[in-house]
């Protein structure tokens, strides 16, 4: 399945990392990742992220979409950090001071293992706070391992 990942910024986007098998939420027409808070209008799929690519940056290892600072991990081991204030605001590259990004739209290839029939709202309603916190910790550990980094 080919999808577009385009940020809404402000912690309203899904983290995607090549090799991650997880629940992901896609828009109802199946063309892109769902954005925003939990919704009854999206569709949940259990899938593996196979490939992420970008028109300016080429292959991307992962996108960490946490809080106001997003990190885009590039194939060469560097990353771009974007402060989402002013949609987006400050853009920093870990190895270069000059960087031109014409678009924040990424192409993502997903291997869909199962369409669950759930929405993000339905999944959220099933989880208690303890389970949400446990899943968050497990995901962060998995993301560090997949990206081969010490901290997020």
């Amino acid at each position: 399945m080919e999808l577009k990942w385009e940020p809404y910024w402000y912690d309203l986007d899904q983290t995607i990392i090549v090799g991650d098998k997880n629940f992901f939420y896609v828009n109802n027409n199946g063309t892109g990742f769902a954005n925003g808070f939990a919704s009854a209008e999206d569709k949940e799929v259990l899938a593996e992220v196979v490939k992420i690519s970008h028109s300016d940056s080429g292959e991307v290892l992962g996108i960490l979409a946490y809080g106001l600072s997003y990190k885009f991990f590039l194939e060469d081991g560097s990353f771009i950090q974007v402060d989402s204030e002013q949609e987006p605001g400050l853009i920093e590259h870990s190895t270069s001071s000059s960087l031109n990004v014409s678009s924040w739209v990424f192409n993502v290839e997903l291997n869909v293992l199962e369409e669950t029939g759930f929405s993000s709202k339905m999944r959220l309603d099933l989880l208690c706070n303890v389970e949400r916190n446990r899943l968050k910790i497990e995901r962060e550990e998995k993301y560090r391992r997949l990206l081969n980094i010490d901290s997020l």
Side-chain angles (χ1 to χ4, degrees):
M1 172 183 256
E2 297 283 332
L3 296 170
K4 299 285 184 200
W5 185 98
E6 184 172 5
Y8 274 24
W9 306 106
Y10 301 98
D11 203 17
L12 296 174
D13 305 293
Q14 298 174 66
T15 291
I16 55 172
I17 298 172
V18 172
D20 186 21
K21 290 180 186 170
N22 215 327
F23 291 114
F24 296 99
Y25 301 92
V26 300
N27 58 26
N28 273 334
N29 62 14
T31 60
F33 284 84
N35 302 88
F37 297 112
S39 169
E41 302 301 316
D42 56 26
K43 295 187 279 190
E44 180 183 79
V45 295
L46 176 62
E48 178 179 7
V49 178
V50 176
K51 182 178 178 181
I52 305 169
S53 59
H54 185 264
S55 60
D56 296 327
S57 305
E59 298 296 312
V60 176
L61 299 176
I63 302 170
L64 284 177
Y66 282 150
L68 295 179
S69 289
Y70 286 25
K71 282 188 180 178
F72 301 84
F73 291 86
L74 308 180
E75 195 172 44
D76 66 4
S78 66
F79 64 85
I80 301 166
Q81 182 166 326
V82 179
D83 177 1
S84 61
E85 288 294 324
Q86 277 94 57
E87 300 181 35
L90 181 62
I91 301 170
E92 297 178 44
H93 188 269
S94 63
T95 60
S96 170
S97 59
S98 64
L99 180 69
N100 238 347
V101 178
S102 61
S103 166
W104 293 104
V105 177
F106 293 78
N107 296 310
V108 181
E109 183 181 335
L110 278 186
N111 178 23
V112 177
L113 306 169
E114 177 185 355
E115 292 187 25
T116 67
F118 282 84
S119 68
S120 57
K121 172 101 172 72
M122 291 167 71
R123 179 64 64 188
L124 187 64
D125 289 346
L126 289 174
L127 300 173
C128 69
N129 285 338
V130 171
E131 290 171 315
R132 286 185 203 135
N133 288 333
R134 180 187 53 80
L135 285 173
K136 181 178 186 266
I137 291 167
E138 287 175 2
R139 284 184 181 135
E140 288 175 353
E141 289 172 6
K142 180 173 48 169
Y143 297 158
R144 284 194 298 273
R145 187 179 69 256
L146 288 169
L147 293 167
N148 197 26
I149 57 175
D150 294 327
S151 66
L152 302 178

